[in-house]
Structure formats: structure tokens, C-alpha cells
Amino acid sequence: MTMSVAGVLADMAAQRPDHSAVIYESEHFTYGWLWDQARRYASVLQANGVRPGDRVAMLLVDTPQFPVVYFGALAAGAVVIPLNVMATASEIGHVLTDADAGYLVCAASLLAQASEAAEPLGTALLTVGPGPAGAVDVEDAARHAAPIDACEVREPDDVAVVFYTSGTTGEPKGVMLTHRNILYNVERMVTTPYAFRGDDVLLGCLPLSHGFGQICGMLTGFRAGISIVLMPRFSGRQALALMSEHGCTVFMGVPTMYFRLLDAVAQGEPIPRLDRVFSGGSALPVKTLDDVRNTFGCPVYEGYGMTETSCSVAYHYPGLTFRPGTVGVPITGITVGTARPHADRIELLPVGEVGEIVVRGPSVMAGYLGRPDLTAEVLVDGWFLTGDLGRLDADGYLSVVGRKKDLILRGGYNVYPREVEEVFAGHPDVAQVAVIGVPHPELGEEVWAIVVPAAPQDASAASGEELVAWGKQRLAAYKYPRRVEFTDAFPMGNSGKVLKRTLVSQYEPAALFESSSP
């Protein structure tokens, strides 16, 4: 049996060659054109020495050239390593070294950091667009290249893509996803939960270098033959305009994007007609979910997953009874449990008990590249340990209560940040909230809430004391925050998650000072 992720585009190019696959700056690029270009790029890559199994890094913005290079590299049999365009030269260099990547394909606009990283390592640098003298411009070379006849043969368990984690809990690690991993997820997600139809139009505002945008957006969308409107840089105002201009029916985003959409609507921007929207990346507060549903007049389906599971684990979907505060049920073929982990085994917990979320199934990664030690820590007894805490109810709905490393232990009691955040998100003066634990000499940790106010702080906005009182009225004595701090914005990771470890380090000095004060 053979299979390749490149077949996703090849198959749809055969079925719908003249249908728009990508819309960018009002120009339409068909499935037939994308596949022809991808095969030409594959020819250029092969002419420059790329062979099956070679690792090709990509530093490209979200333009039609991203899928062309991506599928071209896969068609040549290479392993693709997507890089975030905001990465510094040192960060790019770390990935190139760790992955032993022999090639880096970069946008001409990103040449400065790409060349600074690649040249000292001897990594072959290819540009999309004019580059320095002597560099190969794959875009120009593809115009004169004959397309390859067929994809290189790959086996299901061959690695297709290596995603590097954001490194919020340490040095970035390479997550190895096989062709089987990715295609299993894509084949299930295209119908449930996304229920894609051939006439759907998706706003592609999630970075294609990230798993959510690449697997859930581009690959699943291409598998269904839909059109994707590419948006390289997100803003609420522009997103609303693009969705109206191109008749988008579907939106996928992370919570921060929904906050910005609602803010743009509040400022008077027109509201597009959407059929359904999907949220992932991190927890969407129930109040925000309700605001999105009421504003856009369509269902909001929240899901849960991570890079190591080929991005999707559980989801709400059309036809499933909606349960706010949960992330739906596991997708077909994926088994989810909550567990009390041990060094060499998994002890599953009864229904309703909070434990570490563990996942088993065909979409779970092959491991971390070059790190068998770290792989052994998270792949135990056939299960993947997610590092998230959650509970399953009797009907199989999954609730995520927070990261294991974010759990706050106050005076011997467990405080789950998401529960507290949901309460504070219900206050009209709170736009966003992050709950953290800071050091305390007697309790171990104290609960603090960091708040982005709904409007600039003035006499009419709630004070920190008022918000503390709000929490005290609605939460058990050990749960409510004793202090509220205000900020203009949260530190965010590449996937749109709030970097709570950064917040802790930011506010920890103040907590220590208070603790030591007379």
C-alpha cells in the first residue's frame, strides 16, 4: 500500500481542474493550475538534488506559492518542514540544524533572515522570486521546467511533515507526522465536523505553516474541492471585508481572531453571511462563543487538538447536540480518555473525573525527531499524553480545564484556570482574561487574574477590587483571584495561545515583593 499527502491536490486537480482552489488579492488560481505548478516545482527541486526522504524547509508567506512549493516538495518525495515567517535567523538556524534539513525554500521578501541562517550551515537556499546572484529562483526555473509525470512513491508510515512546536515549555521539538497520520485526519474531518461542500468558500486566515491552517484548512479544504481565500496577515476589519467580497461560507480561527472580529463589528464594519464557523487552538470562552453566534447568525463549533495528533482530537459538528463549555466528542477512530499517568502505564479514570487527557489512534504522531527520550515520555502504553487536563462525561463529551503545567495549587486545593476565566469572561468590562498562579509563602500559589479590559480604563470601568468581588460571589473561596491586573494585550504564541508562562514570569516579581513586604 502506498499513499502520499501530495495526492490530495492531485486527485482534486483531476476532478475539478477549473474550480478555484485559492483566491488571493482577487485573483483565482484553479486546482489544475496549482497541480501543474507543483509538478514543475517538483521537477526543479529534483534538478537541484532533492531526493525522496530529503528534508526541505519552507519559509513562505501565505500566497499561492505556499501550496505550490508544499505539494511540489511532497510530490518529489521530500519531507516538508514549515517555518513560521516571524522566526528569527537564530530560530530558523535551530530548526535547520535539528532537522538536518538540506534545503530551504524561502520567499524573496524573507531572504535576509533565511540566508543568515542557511549560509553558515551549508543549507542549499532556493528562493521564490529573485534572489542573490547564483541563487536558484524556483519560480523562474519552474516556468521552463517540464512537470514530473507522477509523485514519488511513499509508504504510509514515511514521514510527510515535521512541525516544530512553539517552544513555550522548552526548546522547540520536531513533531513527525506520517502520510498515514495526516491523511487519516483529513479524510475524517472533511465530512465530520467540517461538512464541506463543493461550493463552500473558506477564509484562510490561519497561517499555513501551522497545523491548524495547513491540515484543517488547506488540506481538508482541498480534499473537499472548496475555494480558500488566502489572507497573509489577519485583521478583524480586513477579514470581514474579504468574507463579504468573496462570499465566504466558512470561517476557522483561534479565539484571538474572534475577539478582533467582534471588535471590528462593534466599530461598524459590515457583517458577512456565514454558514458556520469553527474555533480551535485554545479555549473559546462561552460568552464569546455566544456573542459570535448571535453576531454572525450561524453555529459555532469548537474543537480540540494539537500538532502531535495531526491537529484534531474532538469537535462539535453539525447534527451533534451542542454542549457549551465542552469541545465536543472524539472524531471517528480516535479514542480519548482521562488518566492518572505513571512512568510505564496509563491508569484510566472513571467518567467525570479530571485527569490528563490521553489520545490513541491513527493520527497520533510517529514521535519527536531525534528525541527518543522525549517521545518515550509522551507515548506510553499506546497512548499520547497531551499535557492537558480534562474530563469526559457519560455521553463522551470532552471538557478541557487547562494545561497540566498551568494548574494552580493553592493551599492544597487544585484550581483550574479555565473555570475561573469563564466566570470573569462573563463580566461586561472584561474583553479577555488569563488566570495564573503566582508564588505565595504560605499557600504555595495564589490566584491572580490578568485582564484586557473591554474599553480603556476610566471612571466607568470596573476596578480590580470590583472584579475580585465579582469572582468572590461566583467561585469557591479557594478559587477566586485575590488580585486583578490590567494589560493592553497578552503575549501570544504562534498558534494564537496565550503564553501563560510568560505572564507568570512577568508578574512573579510583584508577587514575591508583596510576599516579602512587612
Side-chain angles (χ1 to χ4, degrees), residues 262-306:
L262 291 171
D263 183 60
V265 169
Q267 295 179 32
E269 296 298 324
I271 301 172
R273 296 176 59 87
L274 293 169
D275 182 70
R276 58 206 185 280
V277 302
F278 297 89
S279 180
S282 59
L284 185 67
V286 173
K287 180 182 180 297
T288 305
L289 188 151
D290 288 339
D291 289 344
V292 172
R293 182 175 55 195
N294 294 332
T295 299
F296 292 94
C298 67
V300 181
Y301 301 110
E302 188 174 8
Y304 166 75
M306 59 206 63

Side-chain angles (χ1 to χ4, degrees), residues 35 39 46 75-76 147-153:
W35 183 232
R39 289 186 296 133
Q46 289 178 340
I148 63 171
D149 294 328
C151 297
E152 291 289 340
V153 173

Side-chain angles (χ1 to χ4, degrees), residues 493-506:
N494 295 336
S495 61
K497 294 181 181 179
V498 176
L499 300 179
K500 289 195 174 181
R501 295 296 91 190
T502 301
L503 282 178
V504 170
S505 64
Q506 180 180 340

